[in-house]
Structure formats: C-alpha cells, structure tokens
Amino acid sequence: MTTMSYDIVIIGGGQAGLSAAYFLRRTGLRFVILDDSDAPGGSWPGTWDSLRLFSPVDYSSIAGWQMPQGADEYPQKDEFIAYLAAYEARYNLPIERPVRVTNVSRAEDRFIVQTNKGAFTTRVVISATGTAQNPFVPEYDGRGSFEGVQMHSADYRNPAPFAGRRVAIIGAGNSAAQILAEVSLDADTLWITPEEPRFNPDDVDGRHIFGVATQRFTQTQSENKATVNTSRFSLGSIVMVESVREARARGDVLHALRPFTRLTSSGGIWPDGTKQDFDAIIWCTGFRANLAHLQPMLPVEDGKARTDGGPRALDVPGLWLVGYGGWTGYASATTYGVTKTARQAVKEIAAYLP
C-alpha cells in the first residue's frame, strides 16, 4: 500500500465532514474525505425507520445548498440521506469509501493517518466522526443479570419486535419520546427519566431552537453579552413532533418514573423497594464522541477533549474537531449548527497553514 499526502484529511463523510469540505473547496488546499460507510448518508441510515427531522428544510440543510422541499414540512430521514448523496455529487467532493481509520499519530509537523486502505500523511486533520458509533449506556447494579432484551436507540429500527411486550424506555430526550410514542402503540411501555421530562410548546420546533443557538454563537463573537430570551421554551426540552403529540392524546403514555436503583433478571427495583418486571429495555441514553482513532495522541476526559469552545483542539496543534456537540461549537452536532463551526474551522485552518 502506498502513502498518500494531503494538506488536510477529513475523517468522516457525514454532515460535519461534508460541511467542512464545502468551505475547503474555496481555499485551494488539497484535501480528502475518508468515510468508513459503504454509501453516502453518514450515520443517518442507522437511525430508526420512522425518524423525521424536527425542523423544516431551510433549518435542516447544510452549507451552500438547501435540501429540496419534500411532500411534508418536516423531512423524513430517507429524504435527508438522499440530500447528502446529492450534495456530494453536486460539489464533486473528494471522498474515499469505505475507508476505516484505525489510528492517527503525529510525526514532526505532519499527521500519519493509518487506515485499512493504507496510510495518509497530512498537515491538518479534521475529525468529523460524530457520536453515532459510540452509544452510551449507564452502569446500573445488576444490568448484566437482566435476562430480557437490552437495546440502545442506536440499534432500534421499528416497534415490531416489541409488540405485546412490556418495554422500559430509558431517557429524557427527543429520541426517547419519539421511540416511546411508537412503541406504546403496540406494547405496554414504562418511561423512565432522571427527572420529570420537559416539553416545549406545540408550536416550537427546530427553527426556534437553532435560532437561539445562532444568537448565542453570535454573542460569543462580539462584545454583545445580552441575554437571549428563551422564556417560551428550553433548548433541552422535547420537541412536540406529531407522534409525541399523538401519544399525549392517548392519556398517560408520556407519564415518566424516576430511575430504578438496580436491575434484576426480570426487571427493576426502585429506592422504596417497589419492583416492576419488563421484557425489554431500550436505552435512549445518548452517545459520546467517537474519538478512539485519535487516542492516545488526544487526551479525552468524560468523552470530551479540550477545545477553545469551538472546533480547535487545544492539546494537538493541527487538529480540529467538527460536529461533536456544544463543546465544539454551539449546536454543532445538528444539521443547522454544523455550518457555523465548519466555516470557523476552515477559517482557522487557512490561517494556521503557511
């Protein structure tokens, strides 16, 4: 295998990697995107079948080109996957796939990116691998003794396997609420959240949330420190998409219990000694940044590396982290927010490279 040399290697061909590539096209720097998937779409093909984005197309598009409007206001996941595929082709982006990056190391003033298709050397690395490949499940006493099905939301596709069963759905975010809404149509569900779940007003969707994220981002770039008004909604609350509103109309589906203290072979035991049995658990407990390819070069603590609040890694010169969450830029893990951090990363890279 030969060694290929570039100015910049982007690791990951999802929305974050493509956004960075869009801005790099303007710089004249030589770059390549390494993607470990067989086809376009990033992590989206691995999401559940009925998933819809919770904002209209103008707030669900990435840099440069708006996703075409579909039949409904809120795009289906397949529409977004098709959009990413068309985006790659529209801008003729240099993507190599499937290429799996196994390790990144630094040698003098360059990085060596080891892959299953050979080595790449580069002056700058943009890591845009997201979080989907690193699902998080909290440790509970007795979790290994539970004899029922345990599944993370990353592996959930549709409610069919759970029909007629008793299912505990654990998590307080949008994924938990949407999965609960459809599983509860055919199963007896139990919703478990760390605290009482919070719901946004019915008329608040992604456009409001991303608008606030934009204002906060703008404030960090200026002297304006005025407080952003979020009195009508919370950035961390559940968006009331159609399926969640329908579940609310069915009565007690959206009622949640606080967590059990331990698991048994057949269910959970709560602090007061109450026991409840269930046949399956769907862990909607989030993800952590997929940074294994950067270790041990990059120090990681609690799933995060040190940044300046944006995409630049403080501990490794020449490394940028795009799209992993708020610690790499406001709303940077979203389709709307990643554009700003990708633009910022490329601006910084252009200044960094001689």
Side-chain angles (χ1 to χ4, degrees), residues 3-11 29-32 103-114 119-126 294 297 315-320 352-354:
T3 299
M4 293 147 282
S5 181
Y6 292 88
D7 294 315
I8 301 157
V9 168
I10 301 173
I11 306 173
L29 295 166
R30 186 165 181 259
F31 70 94
V32 67
N103 177 257
V104 181
S105 59
R106 192 165 178 85
E108 297 180 354
D109 62 343
R110 298 186 72 84
F111 293 94
I112 301 173
V113 181
Q114 298 287 354
F120 296 74
T121 67
T122 179
R123 296 192 287 166
V124 163
V125 167
I126 298 177
L294 298 175
M297 176 183 72
D315 293 315
V316 181
L319 173 63
W320 275 261
Y352 170 82
L353 289 175

mmCIF file of all heavy atoms in Angstrom, residues 3-11 29-32 103-114 119-126 294 297 315-320 352-354:
data_model
loop_
_atom_site.group_PDB
_atom_site.id
_atom_site.type_symbol
_atom_site.label_atom_id
_atom_site.label_comp_id
_atom_site.label_asym_id
_atom_site.label_seq_id
_atom_site.Cartn_x
_atom_site.Cartn_y
_atom_site.Cartn_z
ATOM 1 N N THR A 3 1.628 5.465 0.429
ATOM 2 C CA THR A 3 1.259 6.536 1.335
ATOM 3 C C THR A 3 0.854 7.750 0.518
ATOM 4 O O THR A 3 1.587 8.177 -0.375
ATOM 5 C CB THR A 3 2.437 6.901 2.259
ATOM 6 O OG1 THR A 3 2.781 5.760 3.037
ATOM 7 C CG2 THR A 3 2.058 8.046 3.177
ATOM 8 N N MET A 4 -0.318 8.295 0.813
ATOM 9 C CA MET A 4 -0.847 9.435 0.076
ATOM 10 C C MET A 4 -0.741 10.686 0.932
ATOM 11 O O MET A 4 -0.986 10.633 2.142
ATOM 12 C CB MET A 4 -2.296 9.162 -0.322
ATOM 13 C CG MET A 4 -2.406 8.035 -1.341
ATOM 14 S SD MET A 4 -3.925 7.034 -1.157
ATOM 15 C CE MET A 4 -3.504 5.997 0.237
ATOM 16 N N SER A 5 -0.388 11.814 0.335
ATOM 17 C CA SER A 5 -0.125 13.032 1.088
ATOM 18 C C SER A 5 -1.119 14.134 0.717
ATOM 19 O O SER A 5 -1.416 14.344 -0.468
ATOM 20 C CB SER A 5 1.308 13.503 0.817
ATOM 21 O OG SER A 5 1.592 14.659 1.558
ATOM 22 N N TYR A 6 -1.610 14.829 1.741
ATOM 23 C CA TYR A 6 -2.583 15.907 1.552
ATOM 24 C C TYR A 6 -2.273 17.061 2.493
ATOM 25 O O TYR A 6 -1.536 16.914 3.483
ATOM 26 C CB TYR A 6 -4.006 15.398 1.841
ATOM 27 C CG TYR A 6 -4.504 14.390 0.835
ATOM 28 C CD1 TYR A 6 -4.254 13.022 1.014
ATOM 29 C CD2 TYR A 6 -5.194 14.788 -0.300
ATOM 30 C CE1 TYR A 6 -4.697 12.089 0.085
ATOM 31 C CE2 TYR A 6 -5.645 13.866 -1.230
ATOM 32 C CZ TYR A 6 -5.395 12.516 -1.033
ATOM 33 O OH TYR A 6 -5.826 11.605 -1.959
ATOM 34 N N ASP A 7 -2.854 18.201 2.220
ATOM 35 C CA ASP A 7 -2.819 19.303 3.169
ATOM 36 C C ASP A 7 -3.739 19.019 4.348
ATOM 37 O O ASP A 7 -3.406 19.331 5.495
ATOM 38 C CB ASP A 7 -3.258 20.615 2.500
ATOM 39 C CG ASP A 7 -2.295 21.073 1.421
ATOM 40 O OD1 ASP A 7 -1.071 21.025 1.664
ATOM 41 O OD2 ASP A 7 -2.772 21.460 0.336
ATOM 42 N N ILE A 8 -4.909 18.450 4.032
ATOM 43 C CA ILE A 8 -5.933 18.210 5.053
ATOM 44 C C ILE A 8 -6.600 16.868 4.797
ATOM 45 O O ILE A 8 -6.981 16.566 3.662
ATOM 46 C CB ILE A 8 -7.017 19.316 5.038
ATOM 47 C CG1 ILE A 8 -6.391 20.696 5.279
ATOM 48 C CG2 ILE A 8 -8.106 19.052 6.073
ATOM 49 C CD1 ILE A 8 -7.206 21.834 4.758
ATOM 50 N N VAL A 9 -6.771 16.086 5.855
ATOM 51 C CA VAL A 9 -7.573 14.870 5.801
ATOM 52 C C VAL A 9 -8.781 15.070 6.700
ATOM 53 O O VAL A 9 -8.645 15.413 7.876
ATOM 54 C CB VAL A 9 -6.773 13.632 6.252
ATOM 55 C CG1 VAL A 9 -7.700 12.444 6.479
ATOM 56 C CG2 VAL A 9 -5.709 13.272 5.217
ATOM 57 N N ILE A 10 -9.961 14.886 6.128
ATOM 58 C CA ILE A 10 -11.210 14.920 6.890
ATOM 59 C C ILE A 10 -11.596 13.479 7.181
ATOM 60 O O ILE A 10 -11.708 12.665 6.259
ATOM 61 C CB ILE A 10 -12.340 15.611 6.108
ATOM 62 C CG1 ILE A 10 -11.955 17.047 5.756
ATOM 63 C CG2 ILE A 10 -13.642 15.583 6.904
ATOM 64 C CD1 ILE A 10 -12.955 17.730 4.831
ATOM 65 N N ILE A 11 -11.815 13.156 8.443
ATOM 66 C CA ILE A 11 -12.220 11.806 8.828
ATOM 67 C C ILE A 11 -13.708 11.833 9.128
ATOM 68 O O ILE A 11 -14.149 12.435 10.106
ATOM 69 C CB ILE A 11 -11.429 11.307 10.047
ATOM 70 C CG1 ILE A 11 -9.918 11.407 9.787
ATOM 71 C CG2 ILE A 11 -11.806 9.870 10.383
ATOM 72 C CD1 ILE A 11 -9.070 11.096 11.003
ATOM 73 N N LEU A 29 -6.579 24.387 -0.995
ATOM 74 C CA LEU A 29 -5.814 23.366 -0.295
ATOM 75 C C LEU A 29 -6.233 21.981 -0.766
ATOM 76 O O LEU A 29 -7.397 21.752 -1.127
ATOM 77 C CB LEU A 29 -6.031 23.498 1.213
ATOM 78 C CG LEU A 29 -5.513 24.795 1.840
ATOM 79 C CD1 LEU A 29 -6.073 24.988 3.242
ATOM 80 C CD2 LEU A 29 -3.985 24.794 1.867
ATOM 81 N N ARG A 30 -5.296 21.056 -0.768
ATOM 82 C CA ARG A 30 -5.570 19.701 -1.239
ATOM 83 C C ARG A 30 -6.068 18.863 -0.060
ATOM 84 O O ARG A 30 -5.390 18.716 0.950
ATOM 85 C CB ARG A 30 -4.301 19.077 -1.821
ATOM 86 C CG ARG A 30 -4.516 17.718 -2.482
ATOM 87 C CD ARG A 30 -3.322 17.354 -3.345
ATOM 88 N NE ARG A 30 -3.529 16.062 -3.986
ATOM 89 C CZ ARG A 30 -3.003 14.924 -3.574
ATOM 90 N NH1 ARG A 30 -2.205 14.914 -2.496
ATOM 91 N NH2 ARG A 30 -3.233 13.792 -4.205
ATOM 92 N N PHE A 31 -7.275 18.311 -0.214
ATOM 93 C CA PHE A 31 -7.868 17.566 0.891
ATOM 94 C C PHE A 31 -8.595 16.331 0.382
ATOM 95 O O PHE A 31 -8.909 16.207 -0.808
ATOM 96 C CB PHE A 31 -8.832 18.452 1.690
ATOM 97 C CG PHE A 31 -10.105 18.814 0.967
ATOM 98 C CD1 PHE A 31 -11.256 18.069 1.135
ATOM 99 C CD2 PHE A 31 -10.148 19.915 0.115
ATOM 100 C CE1 PHE A 31 -12.431 18.408 0.482
ATOM 101 C CE2 PHE A 31 -11.313 20.267 -0.540
ATOM 102 C CZ PHE A 31 -12.470 19.502 -0.359
ATOM 103 N N VAL A 32 -8.872 15.420 1.314
ATOM 104 C CA VAL A 32 -9.631 14.219 1.014
ATOM 105 C C VAL A 32 -10.520 13.908 2.216
ATOM 106 O O VAL A 32 -10.173 14.224 3.358
ATOM 107 C CB VAL A 32 -8.690 13.027 0.709
ATOM 108 C CG1 VAL A 32 -7.897 12.617 1.959
ATOM 109 C CG2 VAL A 32 -9.462 11.832 0.157
ATOM 110 N N ASN A 103 -6.017 4.679 13.289
ATOM 111 C CA ASN A 103 -5.181 5.430 14.222
ATOM 112 C C ASN A 103 -4.646 6.690 13.546
ATOM 113 O O ASN A 103 -4.369 6.693 12.348
ATOM 114 C CB ASN A 103 -4.004 4.559 14.693
ATOM 115 C CG ASN A 103 -3.068 5.312 15.616
ATOM 116 O OD1 ASN A 103 -1.998 5.747 15.209
ATOM 117 N ND2 ASN A 103 -3.480 5.491 16.868
ATOM 118 N N VAL A 104 -4.517 7.733 14.340
ATOM 119 C CA VAL A 104 -3.883 8.968 13.879
ATOM 120 C C VAL A 104 -2.755 9.299 14.841
ATOM 121 O O VAL A 104 -2.959 9.344 16.060
ATOM 122 C CB VAL A 104 -4.877 10.143 13.816
ATOM 123 C CG1 VAL A 104 -4.181 11.405 13.320
ATOM 124 C CG2 VAL A 104 -6.060 9.800 12.922
ATOM 125 N N SER A 105 -1.566 9.544 14.310
ATOM 126 C CA SER A 105 -0.425 9.908 15.142
ATOM 127 C C SER A 105 0.278 11.109 14.527
ATOM 128 O O SER A 105 0.052 11.454 13.362
ATOM 129 C CB SER A 105 0.551 8.733 15.285
ATOM 130 O OG SER A 105 1.024 8.327 14.005
ATOM 131 N N ARG A 106 1.112 11.736 15.320
ATOM 132 C CA ARG A 106 1.825 12.916 14.837
ATOM 133 C C ARG A 106 3.311 12.618 14.709
ATOM 134 O O ARG A 106 3.908 12.024 15.610
ATOM 135 C CB ARG A 106 1.592 14.090 15.788
ATOM 136 C CG ARG A 106 2.045 15.420 15.214
ATOM 137 C CD ARG A 106 1.472 16.589 16.017
ATOM 138 N NE ARG A 106 1.949 17.863 15.496
ATOM 139 C CZ ARG A 106 1.389 18.513 14.488
ATOM 140 N NH1 ARG A 106 0.332 18.019 13.896
ATOM 141 N NH2 ARG A 106 1.880 19.665 14.072
ATOM 142 N N ALA A 107 3.897 12.986 13.590
ATOM 143 C CA ALA A 107 5.321 12.816 13.343
ATOM 144 C C ALA A 107 5.875 14.143 12.864
ATOM 145 O O ALA A 107 5.607 14.564 11.732
ATOM 146 C CB ALA A 107 5.566 11.722 12.307
ATOM 147 N N GLU A 108 6.611 14.820 13.744
ATOM 148 C CA GLU A 108 7.140 16.151 13.474
ATOM 149 C C GLU A 108 5.994 17.108 13.128
ATOM 150 O O GLU A 108 5.105 17.309 13.924
ATOM 151 C CB GLU A 108 8.202 16.087 12.372
ATOM 152 C CG GLU A 108 9.418 15.238 12.773
ATOM 153 C CD GLU A 108 10.472 15.163 11.706
ATOM 154 O OE1 GLU A 108 10.235 15.665 10.585
ATOM 155 O OE2 GLU A 108 11.547 14.611 11.987
ATOM 156 N N ASP A 109 5.970 17.653 11.921
ATOM 157 C CA ASP A 109 4.951 18.650 11.595
ATOM 158 C C ASP A 109 3.803 18.064 10.775
ATOM 159 O O ASP A 109 3.012 18.798 10.192
ATOM 160 C CB ASP A 109 5.571 19.826 10.842
ATOM 161 C CG ASP A 109 6.183 19.401 9.507
ATOM 162 O OD1 ASP A 109 6.406 18.190 9.328
ATOM 163 O OD2 ASP A 109 6.431 20.285 8.665
ATOM 164 N N ARG A 110 3.689 16.745 10.725
ATOM 165 C CA ARG A 110 2.621 16.111 9.949
ATOM 166 C C ARG A 110 1.938 15.034 10.773
ATOM 167 O O ARG A 110 2.490 14.528 11.765
ATOM 168 C CB ARG A 110 3.172 15.498 8.654
ATOM 169 C CG ARG A 110 3.797 16.510 7.715
ATOM 170 C CD ARG A 110 4.205 15.889 6.399
ATOM 171 N NE ARG A 110 3.042 15.555 5.574
ATOM 172 C CZ ARG A 110 2.414 16.423 4.779
ATOM 173 N NH1 ARG A 110 2.813 17.675 4.697
ATOM 174 N NH2 ARG A 110 1.383 16.042 4.046
ATOM 175 N N PHE A 111 0.727 14.703 10.328
ATOM 176 C CA PHE A 111 -0.003 13.581 10.919
ATOM 177 C C PHE A 111 0.122 12.370 10.002
ATOM 178 O O PHE A 111 0.179 12.511 8.769
ATOM 179 C CB PHE A 111 -1.492 13.913 11.065
ATOM 180 C CG PHE A 111 -1.792 14.992 12.065
ATOM 181 C CD1 PHE A 111 -1.923 16.314 11.666
ATOM 182 C CD2 PHE A 111 -1.958 14.684 13.403
ATOM 183 C CE1 PHE A 111 -2.216 17.309 12.579
ATOM 184 C CE2 PHE A 111 -2.251 15.672 14.335
ATOM 185 C CZ PHE A 111 -2.376 16.985 13.919
ATOM 186 N N ILE A 112 0.121 11.191 10.600
ATOM 187 C CA ILE A 112 0.033 9.944 9.849
ATOM 188 C C ILE A 112 -1.317 9.314 10.176
ATOM 189 O O ILE A 112 -1.606 8.994 11.332
ATOM 190 C CB ILE A 112 1.170 8.977 10.210
ATOM 191 C CG1 ILE A 112 2.520 9.627 9.920
ATOM 192 C CG2 ILE A 112 1.027 7.676 9.424
ATOM 193 C CD1 ILE A 112 3.700 8.808 10.397
ATOM 194 N N VAL A 113 -2.159 9.186 9.176
ATOM 195 C CA VAL A 113 -3.494 8.618 9.327
ATOM 196 C C VAL A 113 -3.456 7.188 8.795
ATOM 197 O O VAL A 113 -3.362 6.969 7.582
ATOM 198 C CB VAL A 113 -4.548 9.459 8.572
ATOM 199 C CG1 VAL A 113 -5.940 8.868 8.762
ATOM 200 C CG2 VAL A 113 -4.499 10.911 9.030
ATOM 201 N N GLN A 114 -3.509 6.226 9.697
ATOM 202 C CA GLN A 114 -3.471 4.822 9.314
ATOM 203 C C GLN A 114 -4.891 4.327 9.034
ATOM 204 O O GLN A 114 -5.806 4.576 9.816
ATOM 205 C CB GLN A 114 -2.846 3.973 10.431
ATOM 206 C CG GLN A 114 -1.405 4.326 10.765
ATOM 207 C CD GLN A 114 -0.425 3.869 9.692
ATOM 208 O OE1 GLN A 114 -0.795 3.186 8.729
ATOM 209 N NE2 GLN A 114 0.839 4.224 9.869
ATOM 210 N N ALA A 119 -1.810 4.300 4.360
ATOM 211 C CA ALA A 119 -1.549 5.465 5.209
ATOM 212 C C ALA A 119 -1.701 6.753 4.420
ATOM 213 O O ALA A 119 -1.400 6.820 3.223
ATOM 214 C CB ALA A 119 -0.151 5.374 5.803
ATOM 215 N N PHE A 120 -2.154 7.789 5.108
ATOM 216 C CA PHE A 120 -2.279 9.132 4.552
ATOM 217 C C PHE A 120 -1.462 10.060 5.443
ATOM 218 O O PHE A 120 -1.560 9.988 6.669
ATOM 219 C CB PHE A 120 -3.734 9.599 4.540
ATOM 220 C CG PHE A 120 -4.638 8.788 3.653
ATOM 221 C CD1 PHE A 120 -5.043 7.509 4.025
ATOM 222 C CD2 PHE A 120 -5.088 9.300 2.444
ATOM 223 C CE1 PHE A 120 -5.886 6.762 3.216
ATOM 224 C CE2 PHE A 120 -5.935 8.558 1.633
ATOM 225 C CZ PHE A 120 -6.329 7.286 2.018
ATOM 226 N N THR A 121 -0.677 10.928 4.848
ATOM 227 C CA THR A 121 0.012 11.957 5.635
ATOM 228 C C THR A 121 -0.621 13.301 5.323
ATOM 229 O O THR A 121 -1.063 13.556 4.193
ATOM 230 C CB THR A 121 1.516 11.997 5.347
ATOM 231 O OG1 THR A 121 1.736 12.445 4.004
ATOM 232 C CG2 THR A 121 2.142 10.630 5.544
ATOM 233 N N THR A 122 -0.636 14.158 6.327
ATOM 234 C CA THR A 122 -1.341 15.418 6.175
ATOM 235 C C THR A 122 -0.829 16.434 7.182
ATOM 236 O O THR A 122 -0.341 16.068 8.262
ATOM 237 C CB THR A 122 -2.862 15.217 6.355
ATOM 238 O OG1 THR A 122 -3.526 16.464 6.217
ATOM 239 C CG2 THR A 122 -3.191 14.634 7.721
ATOM 240 N N ARG A 123 -0.966 17.708 6.851
ATOM 241 C CA ARG A 123 -0.571 18.766 7.776
ATOM 242 C C ARG A 123 -1.667 19.070 8.794
ATOM 243 O O ARG A 123 -1.384 19.541 9.893
ATOM 244 C CB ARG A 123 -0.202 20.032 6.997
ATOM 245 C CG ARG A 123 1.023 19.851 6.102
ATOM 246 C CD ARG A 123 1.517 21.196 5.582
ATOM 247 N NE ARG A 123 0.614 21.728 4.557
ATOM 248 C CZ ARG A 123 0.646 22.989 4.126
ATOM 249 N NH1 ARG A 123 1.509 23.850 4.655
ATOM 250 N NH2 ARG A 123 -0.167 23.391 3.169
ATOM 251 N N VAL A 124 -2.919 18.801 8.410
ATOM 252 C CA VAL A 124 -4.059 19.101 9.282
ATOM 253 C C VAL A 124 -5.038 17.932 9.230
ATOM 254 O O VAL A 124 -5.250 17.334 8.164
ATOM 255 C CB VAL A 124 -4.768 20.405 8.840
ATOM 256 C CG1 VAL A 124 -6.166 20.518 9.445
ATOM 257 C CG2 VAL A 124 -3.935 21.617 9.215
ATOM 258 N N VAL A 125 -5.634 17.631 10.362
ATOM 259 C CA VAL A 125 -6.708 16.645 10.434
ATOM 260 C C VAL A 125 -7.972 17.339 10.924
ATOM 261 O O VAL A 125 -7.949 18.082 11.906
ATOM 262 C CB VAL A 125 -6.354 15.489 11.388
ATOM 263 C CG1 VAL A 125 -7.585 14.640 11.702
ATOM 264 C CG2 VAL A 125 -5.260 14.607 10.781
ATOM 265 N N ILE A 126 -9.069 17.106 10.212
ATOM 266 C CA ILE A 126 -10.397 17.475 10.697
ATOM 267 C C ILE A 126 -11.102 16.173 11.050
ATOM 268 O O ILE A 126 -11.396 15.363 10.170
ATOM 269 C CB ILE A 126 -11.219 18.239 9.644
ATOM 270 C CG1 ILE A 126 -10.540 19.559 9.283
ATOM 271 C CG2 ILE A 126 -12.630 18.501 10.168
ATOM 272 C CD1 ILE A 126 -11.264 20.329 8.180
ATOM 273 N N LEU A 294 -8.156 8.854 17.652
ATOM 274 C CA LEU A 294 -7.232 9.929 17.993
ATOM 275 C C LEU A 294 -6.450 9.655 19.280
ATOM 276 O O LEU A 294 -5.600 10.448 19.673
ATOM 277 C CB LEU A 294 -7.991 11.243 18.139
ATOM 278 C CG LEU A 294 -8.707 11.738 16.881
ATOM 279 C CD1 LEU A 294 -9.518 12.981 17.191
ATOM 280 C CD2 LEU A 294 -7.712 12.000 15.750
ATOM 281 N N MET A 297 -3.011 10.002 21.289
ATOM 282 C CA MET A 297 -2.486 11.320 20.940
ATOM 283 C C MET A 297 -3.292 12.446 21.583
ATOM 284 O O MET A 297 -2.740 13.458 22.026
ATOM 285 C CB MET A 297 -2.499 11.477 19.410
ATOM 286 C CG MET A 297 -2.071 12.841 18.916
ATOM 287 S SD MET A 297 -2.197 12.978 17.111
ATOM 288 C CE MET A 297 -3.993 13.027 16.894
ATOM 289 N N ASP A 315 -4.932 20.599 22.678
ATOM 290 C CA ASP A 315 -3.785 19.771 23.053
ATOM 291 C C ASP A 315 -3.015 19.198 21.864
ATOM 292 O O ASP A 315 -1.945 18.627 22.055
ATOM 293 C CB ASP A 315 -4.250 18.616 23.951
ATOM 294 C CG ASP A 315 -4.738 19.111 25.298
ATOM 295 O OD1 ASP A 315 -4.050 19.965 25.885
ATOM 296 O OD2 ASP A 315 -5.808 18.666 25.753
ATOM 297 N N VAL A 316 -3.554 19.335 20.658
ATOM 298 C CA VAL A 316 -2.875 18.793 19.478
ATOM 299 C C VAL A 316 -2.901 19.844 18.376
ATOM 300 O O VAL A 316 -3.923 20.028 17.698
ATOM 301 C CB VAL A 316 -3.541 17.494 18.983
ATOM 302 C CG1 VAL A 316 -2.794 16.937 17.775
ATOM 303 C CG2 VAL A 316 -3.601 16.458 20.098
ATOM 304 N N PRO A 317 -1.811 20.559 18.152
ATOM 305 C CA PRO A 317 -1.774 21.544 17.063
ATOM 306 C C PRO A 317 -2.063 20.882 15.712
ATOM 307 O O PRO A 317 -1.538 19.805 15.418
ATOM 308 C CB PRO A 317 -0.332 22.065 17.120
ATOM 309 C CG PRO A 317 0.120 21.793 18.514
ATOM 310 C CD PRO A 317 -0.552 20.515 18.914
ATOM 311 N N GLY A 318 -2.912 21.529 14.930
ATOM 312 C CA GLY A 318 -3.249 20.998 13.613
ATOM 313 C C GLY A 318 -4.459 20.096 13.590
ATOM 314 O O GLY A 318 -4.815 19.560 12.534
ATOM 315 N N LEU A 319 -5.132 19.941 14.733
ATOM 316 C CA LEU A 319 -6.311 19.075 14.818
ATOM 317 C C LEU A 319 -7.549 19.910 15.103
ATOM 318 O O LEU A 319 -7.561 20.724 16.035
ATOM 319 C CB LEU A 319 -6.125 18.037 15.923
ATOM 320 C CG LEU A 319 -7.339 17.151 16.245
ATOM 321 C CD1 LEU A 319 -7.736 16.282 15.051
ATOM 322 C CD2 LEU A 319 -7.052 16.285 17.469
ATOM 323 N N TRP A 320 -8.585 19.711 14.287
ATOM 324 C CA TRP A 320 -9.883 20.340 14.500
ATOM 325 C C TRP A 320 -10.947 19.272 14.661
ATOM 326 O O TRP A 320 -10.900 18.226 13.993
ATOM 327 C CB TRP A 320 -10.219 21.275 13.342
ATOM 328 C CG TRP A 320 -9.632 22.644 13.498
ATOM 329 C CD1 TRP A 320 -10.263 23.766 13.943
ATOM 330 C CD2 TRP A 320 -8.271 23.043 13.221
ATOM 331 N NE1 TRP A 320 -9.397 24.837 13.968
ATOM 332 C CE2 TRP A 320 -8.160 24.419 13.526
ATOM 333 C CE3 TRP A 320 -7.135 22.360 12.754
ATOM 334 C CZ2 TRP A 320 -6.984 25.131 13.377
ATOM 335 C CZ3 TRP A 320 -5.954 23.067 12.598
ATOM 336 C CH2 TRP A 320 -5.877 24.432 12.913
ATOM 337 N N TYR A 352 -3.746 28.898 9.920
ATOM 338 C CA TYR A 352 -2.740 28.041 10.550
ATOM 339 C C TYR A 352 -1.705 27.530 9.555
ATOM 340 O O TYR A 352 -0.496 27.471 9.858
ATOM 341 C CB TYR A 352 -3.451 26.863 11.218
ATOM 342 C CG TYR A 352 -2.551 25.765 11.719
ATOM 343 C CD1 TYR A 352 -1.911 25.869 12.955
ATOM 344 C CD2 TYR A 352 -2.358 24.603 10.967
ATOM 345 C CE1 TYR A 352 -1.098 24.850 13.429
ATOM 346 C CE2 TYR A 352 -1.539 23.581 11.436
ATOM 347 C CZ TYR A 352 -0.916 23.709 12.665
ATOM 348 O OH TYR A 352 -0.112 22.695 13.132
ATOM 349 N N LEU A 353 -2.162 27.176 8.359
ATOM 350 C CA LEU A 353 -1.245 26.611 7.383
ATOM 351 C C LEU A 353 -0.408 27.712 6.725
ATOM 352 O O LEU A 353 -0.944 28.730 6.310
ATOM 353 C CB LEU A 353 -2.021 25.843 6.305
ATOM 354 C CG LEU A 353 -2.653 24.526 6.773
ATOM 355 C CD1 LEU A 353 -3.493 23.914 5.649
ATOM 356 C CD2 LEU A 353 -1.603 23.534 7.251
ATOM 357 N N PRO A 354 0.898 27.491 6.596
ATOM 358 C CA PRO A 354 1.755 28.512 5.983
ATOM 359 C C PRO A 354 1.488 28.628 4.489
ATOM 360 O O PRO A 354 1.004 27.703 3.855
ATOM 361 C CB PRO A 354 3.168 27.999 6.266
ATOM 362 C CG PRO A 354 3.002 26.526 6.466
ATOM 363 C CD PRO A 354 1.634 26.347 7.075
#
